[in-house]
Amino acid sequence: MKARQTEADPASVPARAKQAGEPQARWSWVEPSVWTERMLTALEVGVKGGKWYSLIDKVSSLRNLESAFAQVKSNQGSAGVDRVTIGMFEAHLEENLKRLSELLKEGSYRPQAIRRVWIAKPGSREKRPLGIPTVRDRVVQTALRNVLEPIFERDFAAQSYGFRPQRGCKDALRRVAELLKAGYVHVADADLQSYYDTIPRQALLEQVKGKVADSRVLDLLEAYLGQEVMESAKSWTPERGNPARSRDQPSAVQHLPGPSGPSHGAAWL
């Protein structure tokens, strides 16, 4: 009975969870140029008022941007609307990253439009949209994710596995196997149609504001949510949802809490 009650109550990851024995192991995946020992201590014990201030300097740091580019390069991917490939961006890497850092610090950085293409959907005649941001925007998105992801990961539910570091389908399957052995026999299967197309932006931003108080970071997120989409000879700006929801690497906003809290949406098993 105790096991069933525990499973029925979605528990968030404890702030001082001893996963793999030590807190350091729990946060081994974070970007070290951002999450110093001092920052990790604040993450573990909590910050005053529960909100994080002055984060844009972490996003714009050259070391974080260098790490972000390495991640973008490892994911490969196509050029965006500016037709600048990863190789072309890397040819002037120091200059490009320095310029991005300056723009972010000034608050004058603006994301470019997203190039939309349509790709085959496995097992169906339908096609799904693939949004491809420019390389520069992917770098900044990754740098932003390096800063924000641990803040929200701290409170995500232990039972969720999607779009989370060091978790995946195999972890979810292992959990299912454990529950089957424990005697559970029912499965609830649910899907939210066109979820990323219909995310209520204001509700999402309000959730973020509950933990982030840096206005420049919030403006950056809002700018990403309002990106123009270009498809062939036409272009438009979606009025709702995340325009970069489907693409060749996860977007920063895909890792943020949904409108019903941090355990909402695709993060659930």
Side-chain angles (χ1 to χ4, degrees), residues 229-243:
V229 174
M230 295 188 68
E231 181 180 346
S232 300
K234 63 180 180 179
S235 66
W236 73 97
T237 302
E239 295 183 357
R240 61 179 182 174
N242 172 14

Side-chain angles (χ1 to χ4, degrees), residues 31-36 57-71 97-98 101 105 139 143 146:
E31 171 52 42
S33 68
V34 173
W35 292 95
T36 61
D57 62 309
K58 312 294 190 302
V59 178
S60 62
S61 76
L62 282 174
R63 286 184 62 195
N64 186 22
L65 290 171
E66 288 167 359
S67 175
F69 173 76
Q71 294 175 62
L97 295 185
K98 183 178 180 181
S101 179
K105 290 176 181 177
V139 169
N146 287 346

Side-chain angles (χ1 to χ4, degrees), residues 17-243:
K18 298 289 184 178
Q19 183 175 332
E22 293 293 336
Q24 289 84 351
R26 179 184 171 205
W27 302 111
S28 62
W29 53 271
V30 302
E31 171 52 42
S33 68
V34 173
W35 292 95
T36 61
E37 185 175 346
R38 177 174 170 273
M39 288 276 288
L40 285 176
T41 299
L43 185 64
E44 284 284 322
V45 303
V47 292
K48 186 176 181 180
K51 290 189 178 184
W52 292 79
Y53 295 81
S54 303
L55 293 176
I56 194 65
D57 62 309
K58 312 294 190 302
V59 178
S60 62
S61 76
L62 282 174
R63 286 184 62 195
N64 186 22
L65 290 171
E66 288 167 359
S67 175
F69 173 76
Q71 294 175 62
V72 170
K73 182 180 178 181
S74 68
N75 290 331
Q76 300 181 359
S78 306
V81 294
D82 60 0
R83 301 191 178 185
V84 174
T85 65
I86 291 175
M88 293 165 65
F89 190 92
E90 188 175 23
H92 305 280
L93 185 60
E94 184 177 349
E95 179 183 345
N96 286 331
L97 295 185
K98 183 178 180 181
R99 180 57 178 158
L100 281 178
S101 179
E102 291 171 351
L103 292 173
L104 287 166
K105 290 176 181 177
E106 295 168 358
S108 56
Y109 168 85
R110 294 294 181 273
Q112 295 171 282
I114 292 173
R115 180 167 70 91
R116 175 165 291 183
V117 296
W118 292 82
I119 61 174
K121 193 174 182 179
S124 172
R125 294 183 179 180
E126 298 179 8
K127 290 188 176 183
R128 69 179 182 88
L130 180 68
I132 306 175
T134 60
V135 174
R136 72 191 285 272
D137 288 343
R138 300 207 296 265
V139 169
V140 175
Q141 281 194 1
T142 304
L144 182 60
R145 191 185 72 209
N146 287 346
V147 173
L148 294 181
E149 189 170 35
I151 294 173
F152 293 94
E153 174 65 23
R154 179 182 183 272
D155 296 322
F156 278 164
Q159 297 92 339
S160 63
Y161 295 90
F163 298 113
R164 294 182 64 187
Q166 298 185 322
R167 287 173 177 246
C169 295
K170 291 183 179 179
D171 299 300
L173 289 172
R174 278 191 283 268
R175 182 57 180 154
V176 169
E178 291 174 0
L179 293 174
L180 289 173
K181 289 180 181 178
Y184 290 88
V185 295
H186 295 94
V187 175
D189 185 14
D191 186 24
L192 299 178
Q193 184 177 6
S194 300
Y195 175 67
Y196 288 113
D197 284 336
T198 57
I199 295 174
R201 294 179 184 174
Q202 197 54 45
L204 173 62
L205 288 171
E206 288 302 318
Q207 288 282 330
V208 177
K209 289 177 182 179
K211 291 184 177 294
V212 176
D214 190 318
S215 60
R216 283 183 291 178
V217 168
L218 295 171
D219 289 344
L220 190 56
L221 282 172
E222 192 165 7
Y224 276 126
L225 289 171
Q227 278 178 279
E228 184 182 26
V229 174
M230 295 188 68
E231 181 180 346
S232 300
K234 63 180 180 179
S235 66
W236 73 97
T237 302
E239 295 183 357
R240 61 179 182 174
N242 172 14

